Amino acid sequence: MAVTDIPHPELYTDYYQLTMGQGYYKIGIHEKKAHFDYFFRNTPFGGGFVVFAGLADLLAVLEGYRFTPDACRWLENKGFDHDFCRFLGEYRFDADIHSVREGEPVLPGEPVLTVSGSLLSCQLIETLLLNILNFQSLIATKAYRLRQACGDRQLVDFGLRRGQGAGSVSATRAAFIGGITATSNVMAGYRFDVPVSGTMAHSWIQCFDSELEAFRAYAALYPDQCILLVDTYNSLESGIPNAITVAKELEGRGHRLIGVRLDSGEPHKMAPKARKMLDDAGLNNVAIAVSDQLDEEKIAALVGDNVPIDLFGVGTRLITGHPDGALSGVYKMCELDGRPTMKYTDESSKSSLPGVKELLRYADSQGRFTNDLICLSGESPDSPGGEPLRRIFMESGHALNMETDLEKMAEYCRTRSGQFPDRIRRMLNPDRFPVELDRSLKSLIEKLKR
């Protein structure tokens, strides 16, 4: 089950969203026009930017967002006011959403997405919005880093069994935007048309009297999709020799062994020895896949040392966003009833930007990104020629410009991330990409502080 399958998305929230909503209703300000920004404060994994993901899922949920009679009865039984619950029963989400595209690299502090509508609509969806966008953007960013490490090698998601419940389906969606090649997650393949891939588990080998018999049985069933797991007993003394035997038998029948998978041991040592054994047997086209607790640092080291690996399977550390586990995305009011508002707190890092804003990106003559600018909507920016990063994706609760093709999102991510300078894109200690505030926005901030 993904978020879009939840039967009561109106209850997929924190309790205080509903108590505040009832408060707005009872004091008569629930229909005032409000604007809320979604942004994040820090990049995860020590990276240079975040790959934005989750927008299409959010829009799909919000299009059908309403309070069912069941939900209204439950809320009333929990002590919510009868009139408010009756109002909720007739309520429909009515806001606009301006956002960057999925796959866009974005920076801390930037208004990535803005919800504009009645105060009640903006408030009720806060938790739902943060849950979807924070998680998917985190996983898309992790997948992007893994893709950076892999280069042009295959990258497969093996994370379903280690993921946070049903959220693993959404995680695989996000990971594809970030750069995975395929997934073992059948539900994600079904839901999002992501390529599915897999080999076998050790239990298959253990079902037979010998490893060779197990390999032969699998190859007979899947002669054109055969990848053999070679580490059940001893990868180099048993697994690879038996795989070579089966590969030769497949060739004799007009087929070929696709690859072998190493799921234990030290890949720096094992993969070169496996490659030599396969090559000495004339099986140069048999790929080597490696799994077992991989992350971008381990993969980068293997690739940097030219270890002969063709496919990396990453599970736990992709699907859980290891080691960070969460994106620091927040959702703050920036204007109410035409009055700019901001959070200015004792901890300056937790402040927010006031007013309805635009986000512009600038590039040099070669198309390399140079800086972003946040400016007030309707004001002429300090510097002309910036590319507006946001556009309208929802109007009065109806989705517009809906993008659902994950291949296009993944390609967009590759193209856009490639336009950043190398010093911003590097995995370790990247430079900070300049995000500037327009003079008019700075003036507004100073005015509100005073």
Side-chain angles (χ1 to χ4, degrees):
M1 181 186 292
V3 173
T4 48
D5 299 320
I6 290 172
H8 286 286
E10 72 277 21
L11 300 179
Y12 198 78
T13 189
D14 290 308
Y15 185 73
Y16 76 162
Q17 310 292 2
L18 292 164
T19 59
M20 285 190 292
Q22 178 169 265
Y24 297 151
Y25 174 78
K26 296 189 83 167
I27 63 177
I29 65 171
H30 61 290
E31 292 184 344
K32 284 191 173 185
K33 183 67 176 289
H35 302 266
F36 280 64
D37 289 334
Y38 168 73
F39 61 97
F40 58 94
R41 295 189 172 111
N42 301 293
T43 52
F45 318 120
F49 50 72
V50 162
V51 175
F52 178 63
L55 178 62
D57 276 0
L58 175 65
L59 298 177
V61 173
L62 293 182
E63 271 207 309
Y65 188 89
R66 61 197 59 195
F67 285 79
T68 65
D70 234 17
C72 291
R73 281 192 296 271
W74 186 85
L75 289 172
E76 191 167 350
N77 287 337
K78 291 298 177 185
F80 283 89
D81 183 79
H82 173 75
D83 287 342
F84 177 60
C85 291
R86 186 174 60 181
F87 172 82
L88 288 180
E90 298 173 358
Y91 162 84
R92 298 294 181 269
F93 181 75
D94 60 1
D96 302 341
I97 292 180
H98 288 78
S99 177
V100 304
R101 292 176 59 181
E102 291 198 70
E104 186 73 73
V106 287
L107 288 305
E110 294 185 334
V112 175
L113 176 149
T114 299
V115 181
S116 305
S118 68
L119 176 57
L120 182 67
S121 282
C122 291
Q123 190 71 71
L124 287 176
I125 67 165
E126 175 178 4
T127 303
L128 177 67
L129 178 149
L130 289 172
N131 178 270
I132 295 172
L133 300 185
N134 280 344
F135 182 56
Q136 291 204 35
S137 297
L138 178 80
I139 302 304
T141 305
K142 185 68 172 184
Y144 169 77
R145 291 172 61 78
L146 290 162
R147 167 51 58 202
Q148 271 189 299
C150 284
D152 58 1
R153 294 163 180 79
Q154 298 287 302
L155 174 62
V156 181
D157 158 39
F158 285 174
L160 178 58
R161 65 186 57 198
R162 300 290 176 82
Q164 293 94 337
S168 300
V169 178
S170 297
T172 296
R173 176 190 185 276
F176 193 79
I177 295 171
I180 65 167
T181 311
T183 181
S184 67
N185 187 334
V186 176
M187 178 58 76
Y190 170 73
R191 285 288 305 277
F192 306 116
D193 200 27
V194 175
V196 291
S197 177
T199 54
M200 59 176 64
H202 297 107
S203 54
W204 175 271
I205 312 296
Q206 293 168 309
C207 285
F208 296 84
D209 290 336
S210 71
E211 185 178 54
L212 180 59
E213 185 183 351
F215 285 178
R216 281 172 169 159
Y218 196 84
L221 291 167
Y222 308 106
D224 298 309
Q225 305 168 33
C226 190
I227 301 176
L228 300 174
L229 179 63
V230 297
D231 75 322
T232 303
Y233 303 121
N234 187 302
S235 298
L236 299 180
E237 293 184 15
S238 170
I240 295 295
N242 285 329
I244 289 171
T245 297
V246 171
K248 293 295 186 181
E249 292 171 354
L250 280 170
E251 285 183 349
R253 300 195 297 270
H255 305 282
R256 77 175 185 87
L257 179 65
I258 300 297
V260 296
R261 178 162 72 97
L262 297 165
D263 191 45
S264 59
E266 175 48 62
H268 264 95
K269 297 176 181 177
M270 303 283 283
K273 292 178 180 178
R275 181 75 273 159
K276 185 176 188 309
M277 293 170 71
L278 291 167
D279 290 350
D280 288 348
L283 299 171
N284 309 72
N285 60 354
V286 174
I288 295 178
V290 170
S291 50
D292 188 30
Q293 299 302 313
L294 294 173
D295 58 20
E296 61 266 44
E297 292 182 9
K298 291 181 180 179
I299 291 172
L302 290 164
V303 171
D305 291 340
N306 294 313
V307 178
I309 297 170
D310 306 286
L311 182 152
F312 293 97
V314 185
T316 304
R317 299 188 180 191
L318 166 60
I319 215 73
T320 63
H322 177 87
D324 284 0
L327 178 66
S328 60
V330 294
Y331 180 76
K332 301 297 179 186
M333 182 192 292
C334 60
E335 185 173 293
L336 177 65
D337 203 23
R339 175 177 60 86
T341 68
M342 69 178 290
K343 177 184 177 183
Y344 186 65
T345 179
D346 295 332
E347 193 174 339
S348 60
S349 63
K350 290 191 174 183
S351 63
S352 64
L353 298 176
V356 182
K357 298 169 288 295
E358 301 293 339
L359 179 59
L360 304 177
R361 180 161 290 167
Y362 295 81
D364 62 21
S365 58
Q366 307 328 231
R368 286 276 177 172
F369 296 143
T370 58
N371 66 285
D372 285 358
L373 179 70
I374 306 171
C375 59
L376 290 174
S377 183
E379 299 279 349
S380 297
D382 294 341
S383 305
E387 172 197 4
L389 289 188
R390 310 190 321 167
R391 62 180 177 177
I392 189 165
F393 279 96
M394 178 164 273
E395 187 171 33
S396 300
H398 300 289
L400 306 171
N401 304 313
M402 179 75 91
E403 297 179 327
T404 57
D405 190 326
L406 294 186
E407 284 276 9
K408 289 182 179 178
M409 294 179 195
E411 177 58 33
Y412 184 73
C413 174
R414 287 191 293 272
T415 300
R416 298 290 284 187
S417 60
Q419 290 178 258
F420 281 86
D422 291 343
R423 58 189 173 78
I424 307 296
R425 297 174 61 233
R426 65 189 178 215
M427 283 199 298
L428 296 177
N429 302 314
D431 287 350
R432 186 167 183 173
F433 187 74
V435 179
E436 301 164 1
L437 303 185
D438 189 76
R439 280 179 297 179
S440 59
L441 179 54
K442 289 179 181 177
S443 296
L444 177 59
I445 292 169
E446 290 305 314
K447 178 182 177 182
L448 292 176
K449 284 182 182 179
R450 290 194 298 270

